[in-house]
Amino acid sequence: MIERGIFVTINQSLDEKVVNDIARLYDTEIEKLPTLEEAAFRQEEAEDVKDLVPRAPVVTFMGHVDHGKTSLLDMIRKTKVAAKEHGGITQHIGAYEVMLKDGAVSFLDTPGHEAFTEMRARGANATDIVILVIAADDGVKPQTVEAIDHARAAGVPIVVALNKCDLPHIDIDKVKTQLSKLNLMSEDWGGKTIVVEVSAKTGKGIDKLLEMLLLEAELLELKANPKTVAKGVVVESELSRGHGIAATVLVQNGTLHLGDMVVAGTHYGKVKAMINDRGQRVQGAPPSTPIEILGLSGVPQAGEKFFVAKDERKTREYCLKKQSAEKERELSAPKHVSLESLYQQIEKGQIKELKVIIKGDVSGSIEALQKSLGELSTKYIKIGVIHSGLGNVNDSDVVLAMASNAVVIGFHVKVESKAQQTADKEGVEIKLYNIIYEATADIEAAMEGMLEPIAKEVSLGKAQVRKTFTTSKVGTIAGCYVVKGKIARNAAVRLSRGGNIVYEGKIASLKRFKDDIKEAAEGFECGIALAHHNNIKEGDVIEAFEIQKIARRLKDK
Ligand code: GDP
């Protein structure tokens, strides 16, 4: 490390690249230990399939405002959560569980697609099934379409609840026609979508809806292992008076026990008490159970993952590290895909699809833009429109872009101020255009960077080792004669002996007599020292080369 001019203490963490470089120098393999979180989630894969049992589906209500999401949630809770039997009261903890004859269903208590996608943006996919609530007297509305796109972007199946069926003069076929245009063809019309007529006012159809959820869950083959240590997702959390920090979590796998040490986001703590949705204290919580836990050291955010850890010291270290990493991340700007930085982002993350959200002033121009963008798709990069709609760019668009790593394109529209704030904070790119051609030209340019460059090795020259010297300062120096091309100071080099490659790396110094030089041309002599490699012998050949990256052009498609 000192040779490299890096001064560190014995218990300091090193950059992964530095570690790899040094390992290579000593011809040593590096085993990368998983983080606590990786270890917790990796273990899941190694588990025995015979321990897997069916688990309850976790359900979220979505739909247009005033179509009855809250009323349905309340109605189900009031009539189906067996509070009376247990002598308890239903408690608002952010989620609740309904026990039925043939199984259970867990409901997330924060309806709406924004909340759903915000959770997803933090890395959690808590919902198994989305119930799309549509008021039968009002039909499909803009937010209904938004909700569908949010559910689809997350890959979560949709069950439709046609609400307010107690009202007179409603036209159910009309709504089903609207749904079929959105690729949600009702089962009784030969499609695949379950559509249930319900009323949150009279309770009509609610039992049928719950039954359908269990049926859908069966098709999804939702399974979990109650015998393993718990992991899951934070649904809600707060600093409450009297209780300290209370977090509602949803156990997704394993069973959570009193006394378990839990890591949630950047916080941790031993579970001091667990309270269920009926206000009862419990000892354990199996998969798909929502539960309020007390004992965490801080308030985790909704959507943050939690898992059970064992070693307290390691857990503390892990959380401290994660906290500082998070602070750094907050300071470093764009976290999401942007047209300008696409090229670098591709190099790092290998994005193969550019996801876009289109907002426009009239549906004709949205369709035209969608079509033009679709035509830009090549065999290397797809353009996927995950949502399009009329109106200004709103917060829901930005959150969806954030969760799905998409860019937002506005055509003849503005950006709502809250949406702009979220976009600035989260590094989501919003591009506004007034001409379709401008939008496609911009994206086309970005896509050229998106195409992975072709890496090509270009040989610069060859030198023969005629003599070697050793100095205490630099190590072995090879006295060479450049037989072909040139040897450049910054080039990559390869040392071969009798046709076999002995070393590949960099030049540590290139000299002619006593002077440092930038390159040595054909027919000249030079002294070469290799970076971290002293095994050089007379007769060896040193080849200098460059890696050239050639951006693929769209024309190559
Ligand atoms: P949300 O915005 O989707 O959560 O909708 P709410 O649950 O707040 O309901 C909006 C309005 O519709 C309220 O005034 C409810 O009383 C009414 N409402 C909800 N469900 C029904 C229903 O099944 N029938 C009738 N007639 N009204 C309903």
Side-chain angles (χ1 to χ4, degrees), residues 290-490:
I291 200 93
E292 186 175 73
I293 59 171
L294 306 178
L296 283 176
S297 59
V299 182
Q301 281 188 298
E304 216 86 74
K305 285 185 195 157
F306 87 84
F307 59 91
V308 169
K310 292 213 171 69
D311 187 315
E312 182 154 3
R313 190 180 57 84
K314 277 192 195 155
T315 305
R316 195 174 48 233
E317 275 170 16
Y318 169 82
C319 288
L320 283 173
K321 227 174 170 176
K322 206 166 166 197
Q323 275 165 22
S324 59
E326 213 121 286
K327 270 198 204 108
E328 257 171 50
R329 212 162 41 115
E330 271 168 23
L331 294 176
S332 66
K335 294 170 214 162
H336 299 285
V337 69
S338 73
L339 294 188
E340 278 79 11
S341 67
L342 253 184
Y343 191 79
Q344 293 101 298
Q345 298 210 6
I346 300 317
E347 277 201 320
K348 276 191 227 149
Q350 298 191 320
I351 302 169
K352 290 281 193 288
E353 181 182 7
L354 176 62
K355 292 186 186 146
V356 292
I357 291 166
I358 303 176
K359 290 306 280 286
D361 58 341
V362 287
S363 57
S365 55
I366 296 174
E367 271 161 36
L369 187 56
Q370 197 157 350
K371 188 160 170 281
S372 305
L373 289 179
E375 279 163 6
L376 291 180
S377 287
T378 71
K379 101 177 162 220
Y380 300 107
I381 284 111
K382 228 186 101 197
I383 301 224
V385 178
I386 57 169
H387 173 62
S388 63
L390 287 171
N392 288 335
V393 175
N394 61 26
D395 204 41
S396 149
D397 300 325
V398 175
V399 172
L400 181 61
M402 192 173 127
S404 310
N405 201 23
V407 293
V408 184
I409 296 177
F411 191 72
H412 279 293
V413 292
K414 295 197 177 72
V415 182
E416 287 177 8
S417 65
K418 176 144 188 271
Q420 189 64 59
Q421 278 168 22
T422 313
D424 291 344
K425 189 165 147 252
E426 300 292 340
V428 169
E429 182 164 47
I430 304 174
K431 298 284 258 180
L432 301 178
Y433 299 98
N434 290 317
I435 305 169
I436 289 188
Y437 170 75
E438 269 178 11
T440 52
D442 247 20
I443 301 231
E444 191 168 5
M447 278 170 67
E448 300 215 346
M450 229 171 139
L451 301 161
E452 278 171 57
I454 308 165
K456 202 171 114 191
E457 186 183 311
V458 181
S459 176
L460 295 176
K462 272 185 187 159
Q464 221 170 36
V465 180
R466 299 247 160 120
K467 246 189 203 127
T468 60
F469 319 85
T470 307
T471 66
S472 56
K473 233 168 118 191
V474 198
T476 306
I477 296 168
C480 299
Y481 177 77
V482 183
V483 289
K484 198 179 152 201
K486 63 175 186 186
I487 303 292
R489 170 71 180 83
N490 298 326

Side-chain angles (χ1 to χ4, degrees), residues 64-72 111 163-167 198-202:
H64 196 72
V65 65
D66 282 348
H67 279 199
K69 301 177 290 290
T70 317
S71 307
L72 278 167
N163 192 31
K164 307 198 186 182
C165 283
D166 55 286
L167 293 174
V198 300
S199 164
K201 199 171 166 193
T202 65

Side-chain angles (χ1 to χ4, degrees), residues 82-90 278-280:
K84 287 169 234 113
E85 285 167 39
H86 296 274
I89 43 154
T90 58
R278 294 181 282 275
Q280 301 159 319

Side-chain angles (χ1 to χ4, degrees), residues 204-215:
K204 179 197 159 193
I206 301 245
D207 286 327
K208 170 105 186 286
L209 179 66
L210 296 173
E211 245 173 64
M212 288 300 145
L213 291 173
L214 288 182
L215 198 75

Side-chain angles (χ1 to χ4, degrees), residues 77-353:
R77 188 192 352 228
K78 255 193 283 173
T79 55
K80 302 291 169 190
V81 177
K84 287 169 234 113
E85 285 167 39
H86 296 274
I89 43 154
T90 58
Q91 183 175 336
H92 175 87
I93 64 165
Y96 63 83
E97 196 180 18
V98 171
M99 300 293 179
L100 303 160
K101 206 163 76 265
D102 299 321
V105 181
S106 288
F107 290 91
L108 292 182
D109 221 350
T110 333
H113 51 272
E114 276 107 337
F116 167 85
T117 298
E118 251 160 43
M119 270 182 90
R120 196 161 73 82
R122 281 200 205 97
N125 265 337
T127 304
D128 300 307
I129 302 169
V130 160
I131 300 183
L132 182 68
V133 181
I134 305 176
D137 62 333
D138 205 20
V140 169
K141 290 277 152 192
Q143 283 170 31
T144 317
V145 180
E146 275 182 23
I148 294 170
D149 288 342
H150 281 239
R152 282 192 178 140
V156 178
I158 297 169
V159 167
V160 177
L162 273 186
N163 192 31
K164 307 198 186 182
C165 283
D166 55 286
L167 293 174
H169 316 301
I170 49 167
D171 187 350
I172 285 171
D173 281 357
K174 190 176 146 203
V175 186
K176 285 188 178 167
T177 308
Q178 292 176 326
L179 281 171
S180 65
K181 285 188 188 134
L182 295 164
N183 267 328
L184 289 173
M185 177 83 83
S186 171
E187 272 186 324
D188 55 339
W189 283 18
K192 288 205 178 95
T193 307
I194 300 174
V195 180
V196 189
E197 293 167 29
V198 300
S199 164
K201 199 171 166 193
T202 65
K204 179 197 159 193
I206 301 245
D207 286 327
K208 170 105 186 286
L209 179 66
L210 296 173
E211 245 173 64
M212 288 300 145
L213 291 173
L214 288 182
L215 198 75
E216 184 73 30
E218 225 178 282
L219 292 177
L220 294 173
E221 293 186 44
L222 303 173
K223 295 220 165 79
N225 176 4
K227 290 187 183 163
T228 187
V229 287
K231 41 194 136 326
V233 49
V234 177
V235 172
E236 208 176 74
S237 71
E238 57 173 8
L239 181 64
S240 72
R241 253 190 301 154
H243 274 328
I245 288 150
T248 298
V249 300
L250 183 75
V251 180
Q252 291 177 306
N253 197 33
T255 298
L256 185 63
H257 300 282
L258 264 186
D260 277 349
M261 173 126 69
V262 164
V263 180
T266 57
H267 304 289
Y268 70 101
K270 280 215 167 90
V271 178
K272 283 195 274 189
M274 285 199 278
I275 300 146
N276 70 10
D277 52 354
R278 294 181 282 275
Q280 301 159 319
R281 292 197 168 232
V282 293
Q283 303 282 318
S288 290
T289 317
I291 200 93
E292 186 175 73
I293 59 171
L294 306 178
L296 283 176
S297 59
V299 182
Q301 281 188 298
E304 216 86 74
K305 285 185 195 157
F306 87 84
F307 59 91
V308 169
K310 292 213 171 69
D311 187 315
E312 182 154 3
R313 190 180 57 84
K314 277 192 195 155
T315 305
R316 195 174 48 233
E317 275 170 16
Y318 169 82
C319 288
L320 283 173
K321 227 174 170 176
K322 206 166 166 197
Q323 275 165 22
S324 59
E326 213 121 286
K327 270 198 204 108
E328 257 171 50
R329 212 162 41 115
E330 271 168 23
L331 294 176
S332 66
K335 294 170 214 162
H336 299 285
V337 69
S338 73
L339 294 188
E340 278 79 11
S341 67
L342 253 184
Y343 191 79
Q344 293 101 298
Q345 298 210 6
I346 300 317
E347 277 201 320
K348 276 191 227 149
Q350 298 191 320
I351 302 169
K352 290 281 193 288
E353 181 182 7

